[in-house]
Amino acid sequence: MNQGYIRIAAFCGFFLPYLPFLLWQQDAYIRLHDTLEGELVWLEVLRQSGLAFDYSAQATLPNILGGIPRNTYPPGHSLAYFFIHLFGMFHGYVLLSFCLSLIGFVGMHNWVKQTYPNAAPGLPWAAAVLFSWIPFFPTFGTAVMGLPWLWLSFRRLHRNQAKPLDPAIWFVFPFTASFIWTAILFALAWGFLLLFQVKKSFQFSALIWGSALAWALGLLCAHYPSFALMFSGFESHRQEYLPYPDGPPEPLGQLQSLVQMALFSHYHVGTLVTLPILLLLFLAWPNLPKRSKYTAFVLFLVLIFQAFYPSLEFLLFQHIDVIRSLRLDRLSPVFPFLWIVLLVDSSLAIWNQIPHRRLAFMVWAGMLIVTGLGNDQNLQNLRKAIGKDIMPSYRNYLAADQMKKIQWFIGKPLPAYRVASLGLSPSIAQFNGFYTVDGLQSQYPLQQKHRLGNIMKAELLKSENCRRYFQNWGNRAYLFSAELGCSFQAIHQGKAKRGQIQNLELNPKAMHEAGLNYLLSAVILPPSNAYRLLRSFHNGDSWWTIHLYEIQPL
């Protein structure tokens, strides 16, 4: 096929996932989990607060969980915040996603071209499209999409072919990527590279050591707020994080985790169905070069470490607060990239065998289809295109018009009262400017966790699952009902479900101590002396029916 047509087809494939945002704008679907329910709204709340660049110990976000330190939120000088600040939440998210996908697309193409300059012209483009379609989380920055560029830099440094640009790449990278998903991974990577350099030669390489120091300095500068919070004496809810309340983790469960990660990668860094790649890898193994076998070996070691880390943590780290809070099993961002590297390596190793070449074509076609549809944003927008959508659009989910009507009905300045949500994510209220006593947070005051726990103490006692979920983890600092449960579906009670709770026990005194004035409920609550229904709000552009309850005086 003509190379020009291949290039055009590749770019069309790259642009395809962004077509719904161009056509439907805010009526397109954006991922809920850890995006509209969490990290994306954090950035918008930070923008609204005007405290994005205030890293002082006194800076506080008063509208989140009754008031939390500003430094529990992402830094204002991060790439993700830059887009939200300049373009607003919706357009900022779409442009951020597009730019990150483009970084991955060009990076993967360059990796294949530089590694296999004589490969078939379509292979680099196919790998680029496949990599850009991986369902990564844009709020985590370049943690996944930046890996081809960093791999190329590592290779130049390892081969003593480094360029002056390499230290700059490594300094800038931490400003573009999540601390949690990259710090431990690249600390290990740099450790191995520097050890290898010392073992290989005692000659000092300014570019290698300069790049390592540039990364470390970039990490400290980019994530200064996190380090400042860590040493500020802040009493985090993570002090009660208890991952193994019943003793040592079960080996069978860890073995299941190994199989799941080996076959589907990891949800938070991009789901990838790997069984077809494993088939090609098996067929190509005798013909694979040593480098490819080393890559497979490294991937296998990371899978083993990730799967059996709970046992390691239980034995060595469960009483070390910092490690227990951060967790060291954050190596999974390498999974999608390494799997596609092995797919490329395996395909080329069997390319000259015609029957196997046909199989390779089938695997590539299958991988593109499954990966494209495995991205829930692509899948839900496709369902919308054919009239079979089951999830809310960006506009439906955030319900801005409906929330404005509720604010108008209450008729008080927003800082004058506090709300909590039941059956819907508190991020919706936070996005719309409400001051909340609940929320999804990776760090928040332990005292606030106790306040919420006291409000719903009776409900937690009815549900062992919810009690463990809240007390042993607690990042979802939500009001839970034993009847609804604490699953993802429990906090997404859309109006089509017409949900209703038969029995709900909330502690009136604890609600007042937490400063709670109103409940925003997606389900009808039973009569109670602790609260009263003011009004139910319906809106055609909203996914919800929201029932407004006022907390009664003691």
Side-chain angles (χ1 to χ4, degrees):
M1 185 184 291
N2 183 282
Q3 291 193 36
Y5 291 137
I6 293 174
R7 189 181 300 113
I8 291 171
F11 275 100
C12 287
F14 168 76
F15 281 107
L16 190 60
Y18 296 95
L19 190 59
F21 301 115
L22 184 63
L23 296 177
W24 300 326
Q25 295 287 310
Q26 295 189 19
D27 291 318
Y29 170 81
I30 284 180
R31 181 181 294 112
L32 305 184
H33 181 72
D34 279 355
T35 303
L36 285 183
E37 190 207 354
E39 276 84 341
L40 183 57
V41 173
W42 296 355
L43 299 172
E44 174 62 16
V45 167
L46 197 58
R47 187 185 72 84
Q48 293 175 10
S49 73
L51 297 174
F53 301 100
D54 185 351
Y55 303 131
S56 65
Q58 296 75 31
T60 302
L61 296 170
N63 54 327
I64 308 298
L65 280 161
I68 62 175
R70 178 262 169 271
N71 287 343
T72 58
Y73 267 45
H77 51 264
S78 66
L79 178 68
Y81 179 76
F82 173 80
F83 276 87
I84 303 305
H85 183 82
L86 286 184
F87 304 106
M89 193 167 92
F90 175 77
H91 292 100
Y93 174 82
V94 174
L95 287 170
L96 172 66
S97 304
F98 179 84
C99 290
L100 291 174
S101 294
L102 186 61
I103 289 170
F105 178 83
V106 177
M108 197 71 219
H109 177 270
N110 285 352
W111 182 88
V112 179
K113 287 287 288 183
Q114 292 185 31
T115 307
Y116 297 107
N118 298 320
L123 188 63
W125 294 111
V129 172
L130 179 59
F131 190 63
S132 71
W133 280 2
I134 288 170
F136 67 97
F137 282 75
T139 48
F140 299 154
T142 56
V144 174
M145 290 290 114
L147 288 188
W149 295 102
L150 300 181
W151 187 282
L152 289 171
S153 178
F154 266 132
R155 190 162 67 187
R156 287 193 297 269
L157 293 167
H158 174 62
R159 295 176 178 178
N160 293 319
Q161 298 172 350
K163 302 176 181 178
L165 182 63
D166 284 305
I169 290 173
W170 284 104
F171 178 76
V172 170
F173 172 68
F175 291 89
T176 70
S178 161
F179 173 81
I180 290 296
W181 289 106
T182 59
I184 294 167
L185 171 63
F186 285 102
L188 287 173
W190 275 114
F192 281 119
L193 180 63
L194 295 176
L195 282 174
F196 182 84
Q197 177 70 15
V198 170
K199 182 180 178 181
K200 178 183 176 183
S201 169
F202 285 98
Q203 292 182 350
F204 178 77
S205 172
L207 285 177
I208 290 180
W209 287 91
S211 296
L213 290 174
W215 172 77
L217 180 61
L219 193 73
L220 290 172
C221 293
H223 300 288
Y224 164 75
S226 298
F227 292 109
L229 184 71
M230 193 180 300
F231 296 104
S232 68
F234 172 66
E235 193 175 25
S236 169
H237 80 285
R238 284 183 174 269
Q239 293 180 16
E240 292 185 348
Y241 177 58
L242 189 62
Y244 314 112
D246 300 320
E250 290 290 334
L252 181 59
Q254 294 173 87
L255 189 60
Q256 290 173 339
S257 177
L258 173 63
V259 173
Q260 182 178 351
M261 280 191 288
L263 295 181
F264 301 105
S265 186
H266 189 286
Y267 177 76
H268 278 102
V269 298
T271 306
L272 191 69
V273 178
T274 64
L275 191 59
I277 303 175
L278 286 169
L279 174 61
L280 272 191
L281 187 63
F282 175 76
L283 292 173
W285 189 262
N287 300 318
L288 282 177
K290 278 188 178 180
R291 178 193 59 78
S292 302
K293 292 182 178 179
Y294 287 147
T295 302
F297 180 67
V298 168
L299 177 58
F300 180 72
L301 285 181
V302 174
L303 283 167
I304 292 290
F305 176 79
Q306 290 285 118
F308 291 95
Y309 175 79
S311 289
L312 180 67
E313 184 181 45
F314 179 82
L315 292 172
L316 300 178
F317 305 135
Q318 67 167 324
H319 300 299
I320 304 175
D321 288 344
V322 173
I323 295 179
R324 194 178 71 243
S325 297
L326 288 175
R327 298 184 66 88
L328 301 181
D329 57 338
R330 304 287 188 175
L331 309 185
S332 49
V334 300
F335 288 162
F337 175 66
L338 291 185
W339 278 118
I340 294 180
V341 165
L342 290 175
L343 175 60
V344 172
D345 291 348
S346 302
S347 300
L348 289 171
I350 60 173
W351 200 252
N352 292 326
Q353 303 172 45
I354 300 302
H356 289 166
R357 183 187 297 184
R358 290 173 183 158
L359 178 62
F361 273 120
M362 293 172 62
V363 166
W364 276 95
M367 289 297 299
L368 286 166
I369 293 170
V370 172
T371 304
L373 295 180
N375 185 323
D376 65 324
Q377 283 189 176
N378 297 348
L379 180 61
Q380 297 304 332
N381 282 320
L382 177 61
R383 292 182 66 96
K384 178 180 175 65
I386 61 175
K388 300 290 185 181
D389 50 327
I390 56 174
M391 299 295 284
S393 69
Y394 175 93
R395 190 192 310 276
N396 297 153
Y397 185 79
L398 293 172
D401 291 342
Q402 191 175 25
M403 287 294 183
K404 286 178 183 176
K405 290 178 181 177
I406 295 173
Q407 292 169 0
W408 179 84
F409 180 82
I410 292 174
K412 302 175 187 176
L414 290 172
Y417 59 93
R418 300 289 185 274
V419 304
S421 301
L422 188 60
L424 71 164
S425 170
S427 67
I428 298 166
Q430 291 165 359
F431 168 82
N432 287 287
F434 283 98
Y435 282 55
T436 67
V437 301
D438 50 355
L440 171 63
Q441 294 296 138
S442 59
Q443 296 267 23
Y444 65 92
L446 179 62
Q447 182 183 30
Q448 187 64 13
K449 179 183 177 183
H450 292 164
R451 287 173 179 165
L452 282 169
N454 289 336
I455 291 174
M456 55 182 171
K457 184 176 181 179
E459 293 298 307
L460 295 180
L461 289 174
K462 297 177 196 175
S463 170
E464 181 66 9
N465 187 37
C466 289
R467 186 190 68 79
R468 285 172 173 257
Y469 185 73
F470 178 75
Q471 292 185 356
N472 298 345
W473 183 55
N475 281 20
R476 279 198 175 96
Y478 295 177
L479 286 185
F480 292 119
S481 152
E483 285 184 34
L484 292 181
C486 51
S487 66
F488 188 73
Q489 290 74 24
I491 54 170
H492 290 91
Q493 296 288 317
K495 59 188 175 184
K497 295 183 180 180
R498 298 183 180 180
Q500 185 170 353
I501 295 176
Q502 301 299 324
N503 182 273
L504 180 68
E505 297 180 65
L506 300 179
N507 186 321
K509 183 180 179 182
M511 287 193 285
H512 282 274
E513 289 175 351
L516 181 59
N517 305 106
Y518 297 96
L519 288 174
L520 304 176
S521 179
V523 296
I524 297 174
L525 305 184
S528 170
N529 292 328
Y531 51 78
R532 70 184 181 97
L533 177 65
L534 296 180
R535 183 176 168 182
S536 297
F537 292 82
H538 310 270
N539 191 288
D541 283 339
S542 171
W543 203 56
W544 318 94
T545 292
I546 298 180
H547 311 281
L548 178 64
Y549 291 87
E550 183 180 35
I551 306 304
Q552 296 296 88
L554 290 174

